[in-house]
Amino acid sequence: MKRFYILFLLTLSCFFAFPHSIIAQNIPDEGEEIEVFVDDHSTVNGPGRAPALIPLTASYYAALSYVEIGFLFNVGCVTITLTNLATGNYSNAMVDSQYGSALIPVTGGSGPYKIEFTIGDGSSYVGFFSI
């Protein structure tokens, strides 16, 4: 019983020793979801056709300044171009979708951004977000 009481007091003292704001700062933000669209040049949708399946998702995390890409299934190598529309700065990355996700750092400063995804089969997708 004495050991339990000492352990309880030690745990309680650790809880009050750290301010709640420090604990709250270590919780990552949820991320702003980026809506990704099928690029108009890559697919032809006619009458009676199902909407195109977009094989990836993207979210921007402001606290760490990166975009997380999630792949719904393996589509092979994907070329990603991230462009700051205000300054014209851009960066390219090539990732393999077999890993399921990828992190792309955003280093171009604040402003509106365009993110483009080109898959090996030629299909392409685009999304927009702001910092």
Side-chain angles (χ1 to χ4, degrees):
M1 181 70 176
K2 187 176 181 181
R3 187 179 298 180
F4 173 76
Y5 182 70
I6 291 172
L7 185 59
F8 176 73
L9 287 178
L10 181 63
T11 305
L12 192 60
S13 66
C14 288
F15 180 73
F16 287 111
F18 298 106
H20 295 288
S21 61
I22 292 174
I23 295 170
Q25 288 176 356
N26 291 330
I27 299 172
D29 60 344
E30 290 296 317
E32 173 189 341
E33 188 172 333
I34 301 169
E35 190 170 356
V36 178
F37 301 95
V38 175
D39 190 1
D40 292 334
H41 304 292
S42 65
T43 56
V44 178
N45 289 332
R49 293 193 126 181
L53 174 66
I54 299 174
L56 52 91
T57 61
S59 296
Y60 171 67
Y61 290 85
L64 300 174
S65 192
Y66 70 87
V67 174
E68 178 182 30
I69 313 301
F71 297 99
L72 303 178
F73 50 87
N74 188 356
V75 292
C77 288
V78 179
T79 303
I80 301 170
T81 304
L82 187 62
T83 307
N84 184 324
L85 298 175
T87 64
N89 293 338
Y90 69 93
S91 61
N92 291 320
M94 183 171 278
V95 298
D96 193 343
S97 65
Q98 76 175 348
Y99 298 112
S101 66
L103 300 176
I104 308 296
V106 180
T107 59
S110 62
Y113 278 82
K114 177 181 178 181
I115 187 166
E116 299 171 275
F117 307 93
T118 305
I119 297 176
D121 68 0
S123 58
S124 58
Y125 306 91
V126 64
F128 297 92
F129 65 100
S130 293
I131 297 178

